[in-house]
């Protein structure tokens, strides 16, 4: 259900609101259960993290605050004070803590607030560290996903090949074929 292609869970969390510039963006966190699923699928926690409607509201508020900070970083602008305060306040609360199980396997259980604190701390670490320089937004117009470009030479253009890279390449191919077809068609003279 959820997608994890951005190089950092906090950026994948931003991707739970897709196509932000569309008239009607696609919301992936539509219920407390979808938030629970995101926590589990992201690897942030193992097992279930029962969430309620207020947890979902807190999660979407945190997501949008982090997005404002990331967008400001991409634009080279200063941070929105309210967004900064929300991220920092959330990061101050206890985060999810991994525990070692009997057979040496790591297991992480957390409350929704602890999971959100972990996301806020990742945002602080990312935006306050050297990887902030690797942030990029997908070049497909309909996509607003932000990712870390760790490619050789920093030339990655899309959040992922599927679907964004494939769609851009297919559109470029169709445009080339139309141009070639026009060039190959005989020119009619008007008399």
């Amino acid at each position: 259900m959820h997608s994890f292609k951005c190089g950092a869970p906090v950026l994948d969390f931003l991707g739970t609101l897709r196509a932000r510039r569309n008239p009607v963006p696609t919301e992936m966190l539509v219920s407390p259960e979808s938030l629970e699923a995101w926590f589990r699928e992201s690897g942030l926690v193992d097992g279930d993290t029962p969430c309620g409607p207020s947890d979902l509201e807190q999660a979407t508020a945190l997501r949008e605050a982090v997005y404002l900070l990331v967008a400001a970083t991409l634009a080279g602008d200063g941070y929105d004070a309210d967004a900064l305060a929300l991220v920092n306040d959330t990061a101050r609360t206890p985060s999810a803590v991994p525990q070692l199980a009997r057979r040496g396997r790591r297991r992480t259980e957390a409350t929704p607030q602890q999971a959100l604190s972990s996301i806020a701390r990742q945002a602080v670490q990312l935006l306050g560290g050297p990887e902030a320089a690797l942030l990029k937004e997908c070049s497909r117009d309909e996509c607003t996903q932000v990712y870390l470009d760790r490619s050789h030479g920093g030339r990655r253009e899309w959040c992922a090949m599927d679907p964004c890279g494939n769609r851009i390449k297919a559109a470029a191919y169709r445009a080339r074929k139309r141009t070639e077809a026009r060039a190959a068609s005989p020119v009619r003279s008007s008399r």
Side-chain angles (χ1 to χ4, degrees):
M1 176 175 169
H2 297 287
S3 178
F4 302 93
K5 57 189 173 186
C6 299
V10 67
L11 297 177
D12 294 318
F13 188 63
L14 297 182
T16 60
L17 182 63
R18 298 185 181 157
R20 288 174 179 271
R21 286 188 288 273
N22 285 1
V24 180
T26 304
E27 177 64 71
M28 302 306 291
L29 298 179
V30 294
S31 67
E33 293 77 22
S34 61
L35 178 59
E36 291 173 29
W38 190 90
F39 287 151
R40 188 177 51 258
E41 291 170 21
S42 71
L44 194 62
V45 299
D46 299 303
D48 293 326
T49 302
C51 296
S54 65
D55 300 317
L56 182 60
E57 288 176 29
Q58 290 174 342
T60 55
L62 177 62
R63 179 191 64 199
E64 295 312 300
V66 172
Y67 182 77
L68 287 174
L69 301 182
V70 168
T73 299
L74 287 169
D77 295 338
Y79 289 151
D80 176 86
D82 292 335
L84 184 61
L86 178 60
V87 170
N88 284 335
D89 289 346
T90 306
R92 282 186 193 98
T93 62
S95 65
V97 179
Q99 301 288 303
L100 194 58
R102 287 184 173 225
R103 296 192 181 209
R105 185 178 174 276
R106 180 185 73 112
R107 180 157 180 85
T108 304
E109 294 178 2
T111 65
Q113 291 74 30
Q114 289 171 318
L116 292 174
S117 176
S118 294
I119 292 169
R121 289 176 185 209
Q122 289 176 13
V124 169
Q125 185 176 0
L126 174 64
L127 295 171
E131 287 196 312
L134 303 178
L135 288 170
K136 283 190 177 176
E137 187 177 64
C138 184
S139 65
R140 186 169 74 91
D141 289 337
E142 298 80 26
C143 183
T144 54
Q145 185 63 58
V146 178
Y147 61 93
L148 289 173
D149 182 2
R150 294 186 179 116
S151 67
H152 184 70
R155 295 188 298 206
R156 184 172 157 192
E157 297 179 41
W158 314 293
C159 59
M161 219 25 218
D162 184 25
C164 293
N166 290 338
R167 289 182 182 172
I168 289 174
K169 286 185 169 201
Y173 174 80
R174 286 190 302 273
R176 277 193 312 274
K177 288 298 178 186
R178 279 192 301 272
T179 301
E180 290 171 6
R182 281 188 219 120
S185 66
V187 179
R188 295 182 184 170
S189 61
S190 57
R191 292 187 180 183

